[in-house]
């Protein structure tokens, strides 16, 4: 089957760094997205990885290891507005997005 | 950047009535749009894939006669929830591909449907 494993919830402090880990199993693989979703809102695109390695984009970085079925999202210089759910979304061989419940990140002052 | 406009953002309707949700791609053409439903604290669930000029492809367990999808143009897809019941109350979200996979999928702002 296809599944995604992320922590249900994480807590971090404003200004700090947090890493959200994700392991996945899919039928084939065509890349992995990270999305941010604030409560009551639609997801917004953060990053896309298709090759192994680190992609950096401002305060956010995403890493992928295809052989391990592993990805992480690294958030630096945390701000209160970063409190949201973060969704690790792999794409299978049919280009279908596989959605899990994500990780709810709580930022404390 | 590319934007997907979805409305209404919130709607309350009575049981047995129908509700139409519109999803428009602004500044780009979307040959394919996707309709999702999300219940509180759960993951997004793909309901159907909407293709311009052809019938939508529904996911298993989604009633095509209850959730009518029309994609008559490259910039507009609509989802009509027919004969709504309280259990249809949910957050409905549309999305569109921007072409290149690396651009991801852009989402509409979502519609909170409450059936009373």
């Amino acid at each position: 089957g296809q599944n995604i494993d992320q922590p249900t919830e994480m807590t971090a402090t404003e200004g700090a760094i947090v890493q959200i880990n994700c392991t996945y199993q899919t039928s084939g693989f065509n890349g992995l997205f990270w999305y941010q979703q604030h409560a009551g809102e639609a997801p917004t695109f953060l990053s896309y990885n298709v090759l192994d390695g680190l992609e950096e984009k401002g305060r956010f970085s995403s890493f992928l290891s295809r052989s391990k079925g592993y990805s992480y999202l690294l958030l630096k210089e945390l701000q209160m507005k970063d409190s949201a759910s973060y969704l690790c979304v792999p794409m299978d061989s049919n280009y279908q997005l596989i959605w899990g419940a994500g990780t709810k990140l709580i930022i404390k002052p | 950047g590319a934007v997907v406009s979805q409305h209404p953002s919130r709607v309350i309707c009575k049981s047995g009535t129908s509700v139409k949700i519109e999803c428009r791609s602004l500044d780009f053409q979307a040959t394919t749009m996707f309709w999702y439903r999300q219940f509180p604290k759960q993951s997004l669930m793909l309901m159907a894939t909407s293709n311009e000029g052809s019938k939508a492809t529904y996911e298993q367990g989604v009633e095509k006669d209850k959730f009518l999808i029309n994609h008559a143009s490259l910039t507009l897809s609509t989802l009509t929830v027919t004969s709504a019941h309280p259990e249809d109350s949910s957050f409905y979200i549309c999305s569109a591909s921007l072409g290149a996979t690396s651009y991801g999928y852009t989402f509409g702002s979502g519609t909170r449907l409450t059936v009373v």
Side-chain angles (χ1 to χ4, degrees):
Chain A
Q2 307 199 101
N3 71 282
I4 301 158
D5 191 21
Q6 292 180 243
T8 305
E9 188 174 296
M10 297 180 71
T11 303
T13 305
E14 189 177 17
I17 299 173
V18 71
Q19 177 173 313
I20 302 174
N21 294 320
C22 168
T23 56
Y24 62 88
Q25 289 180 314
T26 56
S27 300
F29 182 75
N30 276 302
L32 184 144
F33 297 93
W34 280 94
Y35 278 88
Q36 179 191 62
Q37 186 177 23
H38 286 97
E41 298 181 11
T44 55
F45 171 78
L46 291 178
S47 68
Y48 173 69
N49 295 65
V50 67
L51 299 176
D52 290 350
L54 187 68
E55 295 277 346
E56 296 184 82
K57 190 184 293 185
R59 293 190 299 116
F60 294 2
S61 301
S62 55
F63 172 83
L64 175 68
S65 169
R66 288 171 297 172
S67 62
K68 296 182 179 178
Y70 169 70
S71 175
Y72 69 73
L73 181 70
L74 189 71
L75 295 79
K76 302 177 183 177
E77 301 170 15
L78 287 170
Q79 302 174 9
M80 298 302 293
K81 67 178 182 179
D82 296 330
S83 292
S85 288
Y86 291 86
L87 309 171
C88 167
V89 188
M91 182 185 294
D92 68 14
S93 58
N94 293 320
Y95 294 91
Q96 293 269 35
L97 301 179
I98 312 302
W99 296 89
T103 297
K104 181 179 180 180
L105 178 63
I106 299 168
I107 309 298
K108 295 186 175 180
Chain B
V3 173
V4 172
S5 174
Q6 181 176 346
H7 71 89
S9 57
R10 289 179 180 272
V11 59
I12 301 173
C13 71
K14 293 184 178 180
S15 289
T17 62
S18 295
V19 172
K20 179 185 283 189
I21 302 170
E22 290 191 351
C23 185
R24 293 179 184 273
S25 58
L26 307 181
D27 300 326
F28 73 102
Q29 295 181 329
T31 55
T32 303
M33 286 190 177
F34 305 89
W35 286 96
Y36 291 88
R37 181 168 53 182
Q38 186 177 33
F39 294 104
K41 297 185 179 181
Q42 294 188 22
S43 63
L44 269 72
M45 186 178 70
L46 180 65
M47 299 175 67
T49 302
S50 167
N51 300 297
E52 186 268 335
S54 65
K55 292 183 178 181
T57 304
Y58 289 82
E59 295 299 303
Q60 192 172 7
V62 178
E63 300 174 58
K64 62 180 181 180
D65 294 330
K66 180 171 179 61
F67 299 98
L68 301 178
I69 291 173
N70 183 281
H71 196 157
S73 77
L74 286 170
T75 59
L76 175 64
S77 177
T78 61
L79 168 68
T80 301
V81 182
T82 63
S83 187
H85 290 142
E87 55 264 33
D88 297 325
S89 299
S90 186
F91 190 49
Y92 292 86
I93 315 171
C94 65
S95 77
S97 169
L98 301 180
T101 306
S102 59
Y103 297 157
Y105 293 76
T106 189
F107 286 81
S109 54
T111 298
R112 176 74 59 192
L113 171 64
T114 303
V115 184
V116 298

